[in-house]
Amino acid sequence: MINWAGRLIVFFGAAHTLGALLVERAAGHADAWFGGELWHDDLSAMSAANSAYWLSLGSFGVPLALVGLTILWLERRGIAPPSFIPWTLGVLTVIDAMVLPLTPWPILLVACGLLLAGSRRAARHEAARA
């Protein structure tokens, strides 16, 4: 369960980032990003380049993929991820679902459920060994 949760989280984070960069063509604004055009951009009235940045590289996608990779790393070493990870990610997912209901948030909710169940199962096995 933990392995599948980690894989789903990596998939979701990578798909969000790559989808924004390639499908939504956010990468087309890279010249503006690295040319300093965002340094003084008004966040309350975002330019297209700034919006594209926050949809892609500045979004939750990259850190989410890293969380998934960390979960997989822990799982390979027989370490159950701490329960605060699925609980926190689950709360953020529910908030996202309320704000943007037509997004693929159910994928993350399934991953959180798998991770929570897998972590609890691993904790029970640890307790039984002791």
Side-chain angles (χ1 to χ4, degrees):
M1 282 192 258
I2 293 171
N3 189 286
W4 275 106
R7 288 175 186 225
L8 283 172
I9 294 168
V10 170
F11 170 76
F12 196 93
H16 183 279
T17 304
L18 293 173
L21 287 170
L22 303 174
V23 177
E24 293 293 325
R25 299 189 176 140
H29 296 279
D31 289 346
W33 300 342
F34 296 108
E37 290 182 33
L38 304 186
W39 294 356
H40 302 291
D41 204 10
D42 183 2
L43 289 178
S44 64
M46 275 190 208
S47 66
N50 204 346
S51 179
Y53 175 76
W54 287 108
L55 179 65
S56 60
L57 296 180
S59 76
F60 69 95
V62 174
L64 190 61
L66 289 174
V67 166
L69 290 170
T70 302
I71 289 167
L72 292 172
W73 184 87
L74 288 168
E75 194 267 337
R76 273 188 243 114
R77 283 153 182 78
I79 303 168
S83 63
F84 68 82
I85 294 175
W87 281 114
T88 304
L89 188 54
V91 167
L92 289 171
T93 300
V94 169
I95 292 169
D96 286 343
M98 291 188 300
V99 174
L100 295 168
L102 299 177
T103 60
W105 59 265
I107 295 170
L108 280 182
L109 212 52
V110 167
C112 289
L114 287 170
L115 186 55
L116 194 57
S119 293
R120 287 186 176 185
R121 180 188 285 179
R124 280 195 306 269
H125 287 307
E126 290 283 323
R129 287 184 202 160

